[in-house]
Amino acid sequence: MPQLSYAQIFAKFLRFGFLAWGGPIAQIAMIRRELVDEEHWVSSARFNRILAVYQVLPGPEAHELCVFFGTLPKGKLGGLLAGLGFMMPGFVLMFALSWLYLSTGIMQTAAATAAFLGVQPAVIALIVRAVHRIGGHILLDRWLWGIAGVAGLAALVGTPFWLTLPIAGFVYMFATRRQRVTAGLLMAVLVGVGLYFAWVTFAGPVGGDAVSAQPIANQEPSLLDLFISGLKAGLLTFGGAYTVIPFLRADAVGNGWMTDAQFLDGLALSGILPAPLIIFSTFIGYFGGGPLGAIVMTIGIFLPAFSFSLFFHDQLERLVDNEKIKTFLEGISAAVVGLIAATTLELGQKTLVNVPGVVIPLAIFAVALALLYVFKAKTTILWVVLAAAGAGLVLFG
């Protein structure tokens, strides 16, 4: 392992941050190629074990890997500097774009409005592609498929995720221990909870902290609200950065901080940046509390990723080896896939309402989705978003 100063550690991972295009797979591949294959910081087998730990835990895996590798030459301070270096380019760029979006009046121009109308269906395509990719890694048997399906339907009728996720974890934990009667009963409980919230949603006043929450009277959150929202989302991002979408939307849109269209704009902006997708929390924080709100919410969402790697890595590595814990987390991950799918349907419906016509947004969605499946380059998302913006300018400008 090379001997690096604190400044060299920060600079090395800052360079990784500037090159972090293409999502987590490309980011992890870049880290592995340089630190494992070329510089031999750890063995390939050791890297696979470390990655397995962070794939089970919540948070952006690439960022957690950077923090872990930073601890190797210089301990906890080295890990902190590595993590800050990796996230800094994306944070600064998203902060600047948030200021541009909200403070300069650029969104009041016809050209910007038309461009973002074109981008919104493409963002739905990005999420659909992510759901398919994440589901392919997580939904490996019938129980997991069933959990995802029931959790998704429960989310659509307003069931709070804090009820859905633990039940889902216990369902799969008992199912893998061949206690299928208990697992089936718990699944029935989850179905029953969903039916109750369906009745509340369609026959009475909407209740609960639902993922499907609609905007209420515009509220200005406190800095503590923004921090807690970010922290909660950071603790629930099982299976990849896209899994943060339903949790942040429940707070940001459900509490009236922004509209669904603005939420999709933030996702689009994050898609063109070299950063983990959860950096769009900076955009939400800026909406809720201005520059300080952006900083506070970003701290909240990244805090778990820093903490797991800096303070609890060895314990978590042993914990993840515990089969009961592992299957419990796998059940939660399957439920989160269902939550993302439900959120995608809701956002898709809102997009059809918001974007003029029906054929045009469906066409942009279909072309964007096809491009995302056909082309695997690190900058594919960037070009898809820019192309959709150009289409919006032509069709709606």
Side-chain angles (χ1 to χ4, degrees), residues 100-116 262 265 287:
L100 191 67
Y101 187 103
L102 277 172
S103 303
T104 65
I106 189 172
M107 280 306 297
Q108 308 306 317
T109 66
T113 301
F116 277 105
Q262 292 164 336
D265 291 344
F287 255 84

Side-chain angles (χ1 to χ4, degrees), residues 87-102 116 258 262-287 290-291 294-295 298 302:
M87 67 174 284
M88 193 59 66
F91 170 72
V92 171
L93 289 170
M94 180 56 83
F95 190 92
L97 288 173
S98 300
W99 170 81
L100 191 67
Y101 187 103
L102 277 172
F116 277 105
M258 57 174 35
Q262 292 164 336
F263 185 85
L264 288 171
D265 291 344
L267 278 172
L269 293 174
S270 68
I272 66 174
L273 300 180
L277 180 119
I278 66 170
I279 202 66
F280 87 99
S281 61
T282 303
F283 183 82
I284 294 173
Y286 206 115
F287 255 84
I295 294 170
T298 305
F302 277 94

Side-chain angles (χ1 to χ4, degrees), residues 221-300:
S222 67
L223 293 179
L224 181 60
D225 291 333
L226 294 171
F227 175 78
I228 292 174
S229 177
L231 182 63
K232 177 178 64 178
L235 288 168
L236 293 171
T237 52
F238 292 94
Y242 278 87
T243 59
V244 78
I245 291 172
F247 308 116
L248 285 181
R249 178 175 175 258
D251 287 340
V253 179
N255 291 324
W257 305 346
M258 57 174 35
T259 65
D260 271 312
Q262 292 164 336
F263 185 85
L264 288 171
D265 291 344
L267 278 172
L269 293 174
S270 68
I272 66 174
L273 300 180
L277 180 119
I278 66 170
I279 202 66
F280 87 99
S281 61
T282 303
F283 183 82
I284 294 173
Y286 206 115
F287 255 84
L292 193 55
I295 294 170
V296 166
M297 192 160 191
T298 305
I299 291 173

